[in-house]
Every structure is written in structure tokens, then in C-alpha cells.
Amino acid sequence: QKEVEQDPGPLSVPEGAIVSLNCTYSNSAFQYFMWYRQYSRKGPELLMYTYSSGNKEDGRFTAQVDKSSKYISLFIRDSQPSDSATYLCAMRIQGAQKLVFGQGTRLTINP
Amino acid sequence: DGGITQSPKYLFRKEGQNVTLSCEQNLNHDAMYWYRQDPGQGLRLIYYSQIVNDFQKGDIAEGYSVSREKKESFPLTVTSAQKNPTAFYLCASSFDRATNEKLFFGSGTQLSVL
């Protein structure tokens, strides 16, 4: 079993829809959670960073962490074609140097 | 503009050949990393360096080597011992050597085998 599981998709939704991207993890020691966005053949860029359970909002993006269920989500409101990308979740144990990445979910927003 | 520059964008390797991927950053970051990305898989850590003249193996270091002679540069050599080198290689850096969540990535190098 992988430490971090992420549905690879692909996920295709119409413009304006609310998108929900999810990751589950098995190691309860993970304390820091990130979402990265990666456009095709580019390097990932950090989108959201959280370290506690609950919600964090930034514009159209909301990151949600549920440590009791070992589940994190990224919600995108009013999705735009420019949101079409691969979204990678990542997480880290306190004191550890290594980030553990999910497989990435490929998202397409159709005009 | 500050950032991370990877070169070349595309690279082809012949069997038995060593190739070197370049990574340069002007962000004044202490820590630098090399990741490998295969289709449908997450990023896997090859090597990382928290300070000049020091580096550590990641999860898949076999068949790869690195050096960190300057703060700005962290080249990766894919040796002939790496039997399945075809992948997208990403270099990254972070300001805080102790925590590496906020990674800044380069645009990647696609390595293919001839």
C-alpha cells in the first residue's frame, strides 16, 4: 500500500463547476500538507500549504484536512479552463526532510 | 527574475553513456533537490543537498550521482548503471533547509534513451 493515494483521473468538468480533488494517507505522523499544480511539461508550483485540520481558503481554492480520517481535499470554485493541469498532493512528517507525493490527478476544465 | 533554470529541456542518452543534467538557481536557497517523475506516478526523490559540499541519497539514488560545489548549482549525472532512465527530471530548491514544503521547481528535463 502506498503511503499516499491519489486518484489519477483523468477528471473532466465543465467551466464554472466546483472541483473536488482528494488524497488519502496511511501514516498518521504526517503533519504538513501541500497541494501543487503542474501544467503540462512544466515544474509543479505550490498552490496551498496547511499544517492543521480544518479549512484554508485562498481565492477560489480551499484546502481541507481531516487528520482523523487521514484525508485531504482541494476544492476549486468557479473552475476556469486555465485550471486545467495535474494537481499533486504532498505531505511531510515533522522533522523529516522528505516530502511524499501523491500520483497526481489530471484535471481538464472544458469551456 | 529569480528562479531555477534546468537545461537541456530534452536529452537523449545512448546505452552505456553517462549524461549530466544542469540545475542552476539564483534564489539564494540553501537546499536543492532532484526528483524523477514517471507517467502516472508522483515525484520520487533522487538526491538532495542542504548545504554546499554535502548531499544525501533519496529514495531512488542508485544509478545517479550529484555534486554541490556551489550554492547555485546542483548537477545530476545519470550513469550507465541506471537501466531505466527515461523520465521527466525536476530540480527544486527551498529557502529553509530544515523544512522543504515550499519547493520552487525548474521546468524539467525530459530524458529519453536512444
Side-chain angles (χ1 to χ4, degrees):
Chain A
Q1 182 189 8
K2 291 184 178 180
E3 276 191 291
V4 179
E5 295 278 0
Q6 185 177 5
D7 186 341
L11 181 62
S12 182
V13 302
E15 184 176 355
I18 296 175
V19 176
S20 172
L21 304 167
N22 310 297
C23 286
T24 58
Y25 60 95
S26 56
N27 190 343
S28 58
F30 285 128
Q31 291 190 319
Y32 301 92
F33 305 91
M34 292 122 263
W35 286 95
Y36 281 84
R37 178 176 61 194
Q38 184 178 24
Y39 292 113
S40 182
R41 284 306 174 212
K42 298 290 184 185
E45 56 181 330
L46 182 65
L47 204 56
M48 298 288 281
Y49 167 75
T50 60
Y51 57 88
S52 60
S53 284
N55 293 352
K56 180 177 181 179
E57 191 173 316
D58 184 1
R60 296 184 295 110
F61 298 90
T62 299
Q64 186 176 80
V65 174
D66 183 347
K67 289 186 178 180
S68 62
S69 301
K70 301 193 188 69
Y71 190 89
I72 68 171
S73 298
L74 178 70
F75 298 97
I76 307 175
R77 291 185 300 280
D78 188 24
S79 55
Q80 305 293 311
S82 58
D83 295 327
S84 298
T86 295
Y87 290 81
L88 297 147
C89 65
M91 46 198 78
R92 186 177 72 86
I93 298 169
Q94 186 171 13
Q97 182 64 20
K98 191 180 77 169
L99 279 183
V100 180
F101 283 86
Q103 301 97 307
T105 299
R106 199 171 81 199
L107 172 68
T108 301
I109 309 297
N110 301 303
Chain B
D1 285 338
I4 299 179
T5 301
Q6 287 188 245
S7 62
K9 194 171 179 63
Y10 299 96
L11 187 58
F12 296 91
R13 192 191 90 167
K14 295 179 182 178
E15 195 164 335
Q17 186 182 39
N18 293 352
V19 292
T20 297
L21 284 61
S22 171
C23 178
E24 303 277 333
Q25 56 102 354
N26 61 5
L27 299 167
N28 199 33
H29 285 173
D30 283 321
M32 296 186 74
Y33 309 82
W34 275 105
Y35 286 91
R36 170 178 171 144
Q37 187 174 32
D38 294 278
Q41 295 195 37
L43 277 62
R44 292 184 290 168
L45 183 63
I46 305 172
Y47 268 98
Y48 65 96
S49 168
Q50 294 174 279
I51 199 167
V52 174
N53 291 324
D54 186 53
F55 48 82
Q56 308 294 329
K57 291 182 179 180
D59 296 321
I60 56 166
E62 187 174 349
Y64 300 97
S65 66
V66 293
S67 63
R68 187 84 186 278
E69 296 176 2
K70 298 186 300 182
K71 188 175 184 177
E72 304 79 23
S73 179
F74 192 41
L76 173 74
T77 297
V78 184
T79 74
S80 57
Q82 172 50 245
K83 298 306 180 188
N84 184 24
T86 297
F88 191 53
Y89 290 85
L90 288 159
C91 179
S93 70
S94 66
F95 177 72
D96 188 340
R97 70 180 86 162
T99 64
N100 64 349
E101 296 92 6
K102 299 177 184 178
L103 293 174
F104 291 81
F105 284 89
S107 293
T109 294
Q110 175 64 50
L111 175 62
S112 303
V113 177
L114 288 175

